[in-house]
Amino acid sequence: MSREELVVQRARKAFQTGKTKPLELVTERKKEIADSLKKDLGKSERCTELFETLGCEGEIRLALQHLSDWAAPRPVEKTLMTLVDQAYVQPQPLGLVLIIGAWNYPWAVTLQPLVGAIAAGNAAIIKPSEVSSHSARAMEELLPLYLDTDLYPVVTGGVSETQELLRQRWDHVFYTGSSSVGRLVMEAAAAHLTPVTLELGGKSPCYIHSDCNIRVAEDHVGKFVNCGQTCISPDYVLCEPSVQSRLLEEVRECIKEFYTENPKGFEDYGRIINQRHFRRIMGLMEGSTVALGGDCDEADCYIGPTVLKDVSADSKVMKEEIFGPVLPIISVSGVDQAIQFISDREKPLVIYVFTEDKKIIQRMIADTSSGALLANDCLVHFTVSTLPFGGVGHSGMGCYKGKHTFDQLSHLRSCLIKSSSLESVNSLRYPPHTQRKINWLRLLLLKQIDLKKLRRFTMITALMGLTAFIVQVTGVHRQTDLDTSEGQVFRAVAKPPQPAAI
């Protein structure tokens, strides 16, 4: 029996004992986390906190605060036939979850799904990416200090270890990474009919309309965060030719403002993960015109912020996700051509649009398809835990963040607890010739009931009845008073005069 198979069996056995506990975030190890990321990606401590650990802390606080609500039975609407019954959805743990992390944000995209897995009551095996080797090693050393090693073991290794894990039977597989590996994960999971969450990537477009403030747009594009190694970073820009020249000037100024005149020596500008990816990115730029940047150092895995202009749709850089600090600009005639350009390609993880025109934003929403759409900003939708984060089609399936992770890694079990108080209705038998007469009754019994509307209708009816009663009673009292007054007047008029006293 392989090591991976033994780990799976031990985790499943531990889960069945009911020892699953909520995750408590510890802050004592932030220094070790930052050190590992510095070695892997050249990330500074500031960037580590901003893009790795803060999000994990937020997810944990949110889960601890709302876990009782998430895990509680969720009542559903009833029909008249089930009005006196209990009908609800009960979240249940799936069982054993395999979480395969990515190397670009090795802590954030590995631990955030783990928070949801633990909150949902699952056991989980964590497989960090071997590409970010220092972070994987730190995760293997640090997580057992704070988590039950039977329920949440860390398995390190390369391709062969991952393949062995995928041969095992899981209750869910959560993978973050490339589309090519995502296909292999899905294929392996299909052997056991295991559901998967695939957080992939793709070429996310950014359309900049001519009416927007170019300076503000460029400030928010965020292409060079983590040296461009972000699945939701804009992969290319679509704009009119008149916008391109202005955009280039603003990009130049923004690079100086954010990364100084010398990005290579700036602490918050990272490095490409390894030389293989360095050569891949440099190869993608072949045949394109460099408008800004382009400086590089293979020995240091450094590629400076780079912008390519006048890029054509069939150029090499448009054939695959760039995943580096290179931003191509493609000219389009306007929003119509931009929408057509986007729609002709695989569905991206996110579409960005910068414009002051709300109608253009609504057109982008209506006429395109993507995992998310963000107007007048970039990247920040990932920080909103109430928004589901995930792709569609080529960019992935399933979603997570906050309650969405809990639901993704739970079985939402339908529960209907029948009452015997209406059992006599079930025993009714109707002869064929009366069938038409009872059709209306069947439709009424099967009609979905909106309990909120029913309660509102009942309350309004009761108020109307009470109002009618008050009006009626008031009218009776007024009539009685009127009758009394009229009688007194009549008696006073009809009464004979009394003789005067002598």
Side-chain angles (χ1 to χ4, degrees):
M1 187 178 295
S2 67
R3 177 173 68 100
E4 289 75 17
E5 192 172 1
L6 286 171
V7 170
V8 171
Q9 288 190 0
R10 188 164 64 247
R12 190 180 294 277
K13 184 177 180 181
F15 169 71
Q16 291 170 347
T17 64
K19 294 194 299 182
T20 304
K21 303 173 185 178
L23 175 64
E24 294 183 34
L25 179 67
V26 290
T27 57
E28 306 93 73
R29 304 293 178 173
K30 284 188 177 180
K31 182 65 169 61
E32 289 92 328
I33 293 173
D35 288 344
S36 67
L37 288 167
K38 183 69 174 178
K39 295 173 182 176
D40 284 329
L41 291 150
K43 287 186 183 179
S44 65
E45 287 192 25
R46 181 165 49 244
C47 288
T48 294
E49 183 170 15
L50 186 60
F51 300 117
E52 298 274 1
T53 58
L54 272 180
C56 293
E57 292 180 25
E59 287 289 297
I60 292 168
R61 284 195 296 268
L62 187 70
L64 292 175
Q65 182 180 357
H66 297 286
L67 182 57
S68 58
D69 294 330
W70 295 351
R74 306 172 187 180
V76 297
E77 293 182 358
K78 304 176 186 179
T79 64
L80 283 177
M81 186 69 80
T82 59
L83 192 59
V84 297
D85 305 325
Q86 298 180 56
Y88 57 91
V89 174
Q90 178 64 64
Q92 286 191 326
L94 290 174
L96 185 58
V97 177
L98 172 62
I99 298 174
I100 304 176
W103 54 261
N104 58 329
Y105 292 92
W107 293 87
V109 301
T110 305
L111 295 189
Q112 289 194 29
L114 178 61
V115 172
I118 294 174
N122 299 294
I125 290 181
I126 302 102
K127 171 59 180 69
S129 173
E130 71 279 4
V131 178
S132 51
S133 57
H134 296 91
S135 295
R137 207 155 36 242
M139 204 174 293
E140 184 181 31
E141 294 171 0
L142 296 179
L143 260 63
L145 300 178
Y146 302 99
L147 299 177
D148 188 308
T149 54
D150 286 332
L151 290 171
Y152 316 113
V154 178
V155 177
T156 57
V159 175
S160 60
E161 286 80 6
T162 304
Q163 290 174 338
E164 182 61 31
L165 284 171
L166 288 172
R167 278 192 281 269
Q168 309 307 313
R169 186 184 186 91
W170 306 92
D171 297 299
H172 197 97
V173 176
F174 195 112
Y175 168 76
T176 303
S178 68
S179 298
S180 57
V181 178
R183 290 188 181 93
L184 299 176
V185 171
M186 192 172 182
E187 182 181 352
H192 301 290
L193 295 180
T194 298
V196 296
T197 300
L198 302 178
E199 297 296 338
L200 310 177
K203 297 184 74 65
S204 296
C206 177
Y207 173 63
I208 299 179
H209 193 58
S210 57
D211 71 345
C212 77
N213 186 319
I214 303 298
R215 175 65 182 185
V216 172
E218 183 50 40
D219 279 348
H220 290 268
V221 164
K223 170 63 179 179
F224 306 115
V225 171
N226 197 31
C227 214
Q229 298 166 119
T230 304
C231 62
I232 53 174
S233 71
D235 194 85
Y236 60 93
V237 167
L238 297 171
C239 65
E240 297 176 25
S242 61
V243 175
Q244 179 176 263
S245 57
R246 289 187 290 154
L247 181 61
L248 287 172
E249 288 304 315
E250 295 299 343
V251 171
R252 191 190 311 274
E253 294 302 315
C254 284
I255 290 174
K256 292 179 182 178
E257 181 180 343
F258 281 91
Y259 303 108
T260 74
E261 294 274 4
N262 179 26
K264 186 177 182 181
F266 186 56
E267 182 185 15
D268 289 340
Y269 189 79
R271 295 295 184 268
I272 303 302
I273 185 68
N274 55 35
Q275 292 183 341
R276 180 173 68 86
H277 280 279
F278 173 92
R279 289 189 289 270
R280 180 189 63 80
I281 295 168
M282 295 301 297
L284 291 176
M285 291 193 286
E286 294 175 358
S288 297
T289 303
V290 176
L292 291 175
D295 52 321
C296 60
D297 182 352
E298 183 173 352
D300 193 27
C301 289
Y302 168 78
I303 300 177
T306 301
V307 180
L308 308 178
K309 69 176 182 177
D310 301 325
V311 175
S312 63
D314 58 353
S315 62
K316 197 172 181 181
V317 76
M318 293 301 295
K319 297 301 182 184
E320 63 178 76
E321 183 178 8
I322 300 169
F323 223 64
V326 179
L327 183 63
I329 300 178
I330 299 175
S331 294
V332 292
S333 60
V335 64
D336 292 328
Q337 189 179 359
I339 290 175
Q340 188 63 49
F341 190 94
I342 294 168
S343 300
D344 286 343
R345 286 154 179 80
E346 296 285 3
K347 296 178 181 179
L349 189 55
V350 58
I351 293 173
Y352 299 108
V353 54
F354 286 86
T355 180
E356 297 299 322
D357 192 334
K358 294 182 179 179
K359 291 182 179 179
I360 291 179
I361 296 173
Q362 290 303 316
R363 279 203 62 193
M364 279 286 183
I365 293 173
D367 297 342
T368 64
S369 178
S370 60
L373 183 139
L374 183 55
N376 299 317
D377 211 336
C378 286
L379 310 183
V380 296
H381 63 293
F382 184 76
T383 66
V384 184
S385 293
T386 49
L387 287 175
F389 180 82
V392 58
H394 192 263
S395 58
M397 61 182 68
C399 61
Y400 72 116
K401 296 296 288 185
K403 182 175 180 289
H404 303 289
T405 319
F406 179 92
D407 288 349
Q408 186 76 27
L409 300 178
S410 297
H411 170 55
L412 301 181
R413 191 180 195 184
S414 299
C415 297
L416 178 63
I417 314 302
K418 293 288 293 181
S419 169
S420 59
S421 58
L422 292 179
E423 188 61 29
S424 56
V425 175
N426 293 332
S427 63
L428 291 177
R429 296 293 182 268
Y430 304 103
H433 65 275
T434 64
Q435 191 64 36
R436 290 182 180 179
K437 296 181 180 180
I438 65 170
N439 279 343
W440 65 270
L441 179 60
R442 177 182 291 111
L443 290 173
L444 184 62
L445 290 176
L446 296 179
K447 185 175 176 61
Q448 202 75 12
I449 299 298
D450 188 331
L451 293 181
K452 290 183 180 179
K453 289 184 179 179
L454 182 61
R455 283 193 292 267
R456 193 181 302 119
F457 175 76
T458 304
M459 185 179 297
I460 292 173
T461 304
L463 287 173
M464 291 175 63
L466 180 61
T467 302
F469 174 75
I470 292 173
V471 170
Q472 184 178 4
V473 170
T474 304
V476 170
H477 282 309
R478 285 180 180 175
Q479 186 64 41
T480 302
D481 293 342
L482 182 61
D483 292 345
T484 302
S485 300
E486 290 177 348
Q488 290 175 348
V489 171
F490 176 78
R491 286 192 294 272
V493 172
K495 187 178 181 179
Q498 298 294 325
I502 301 176

